[in-house]
Amino acid sequence: TQVSTPDRRRGMKMEKAAVRAARRLNRAAGTLALSVLLDSALEHYRGAFKNKALFAPLAASAMTLGASVHGTADRRPAAHALRETIYALATLTGLAGTGSRFYDVTERPGAMAWQNLFCGAPPGAPTAILLSGLLGVYSERLRSMGRIPTVFGLPAGRALAALTGAGLLGTTAEAGLLHCRGAYHDPFMLLPVTVAPVAAGLMAETAFGRKGRNRWFTRVWLRLTALLGFAGAGFHIYGVHRGMGGWRDWRQNLLNGPPLLVPPTFTGLALAGLAALGLLRGHPDA
């Protein structure tokens, strides 16, 4: 049967919306991968790469970053097998790293005591590469979904909004733990645990609320959350500067100061949330 011109145009419009959202997700995944690559390189160097498995997140995040750059430039409405494989490997690396971190904490005296959470390796850090891989896999599924607004059998836009909200909550918990260790000595340290949870709540409303709404406030708040990631990196750079010797003794202060590129994790997740909103605008049934 022939497809009428209005239906064909509508199908092309929906396809373009899906590819646009997929490319935005590639950017989000790449932002998270860059954060993981630089942060894990520094943190694992501090641990002298005692366990050779510590090279895994560096390799996975570097490949994910390359795949994301390639995907951002790719306008084709079709999944890319190699990119999807890399994203899947990043997801598995994140799962393995998260399990390993929690196992290490439970093996310490006192197990999940606050002392172990404060002084050990951040238990939630590997989830950043996990989220990067998931967003990348999701982007490839979006490219191949055609007119059907579902990914893995779920409404694409709503499922992505729910994933973004969960990621924001997890990242908030990680920031809250590390800033609690710093005793919130600077009032600006409260921003990640106040701005990001609101963004997570707005994403939950997007996932489970009424469809067809103009969620302008959610878009504005997500942009604010994205800026929070860049601002956080600036504050962490200043935190390194405050160390004895400042940037003149950068080798010492980088290792002992606040992690420079952890805050942009919020930026990556905010970009994923904006991709979900864009998909829902162009694909109302998603």
Side-chain angles (χ1 to χ4, degrees), residues 171-217:
T171 306
T172 300
E174 182 78 4
L177 177 67
L178 296 179
H179 287 185
C180 182
R181 184 171 70 182
Y184 290 97
H185 64 272
D186 189 326
F188 286 108
M189 296 173 78
L190 292 168
L191 286 177
V193 296
T194 52
V195 174
V198 174
L202 292 171
M203 284 288 92
E205 189 280 328
T206 302
F208 303 106
R210 181 168 55 87
K211 69 177 183 179
R213 291 183 56 188
N214 181 10
R215 293 181 168 85
W216 64 270
F217 182 77

Side-chain angles (χ1 to χ4, degrees), residues 99-124:
S100 175
R101 287 290 173 87
F102 277 98
Y103 175 77
D104 289 344
V105 171
T106 58
E107 286 296 292
R108 294 169 179 262
M112 297 296 289
W114 286 110
Q115 181 72 13
N116 292 334
L117 292 174
F118 283 148
C119 298

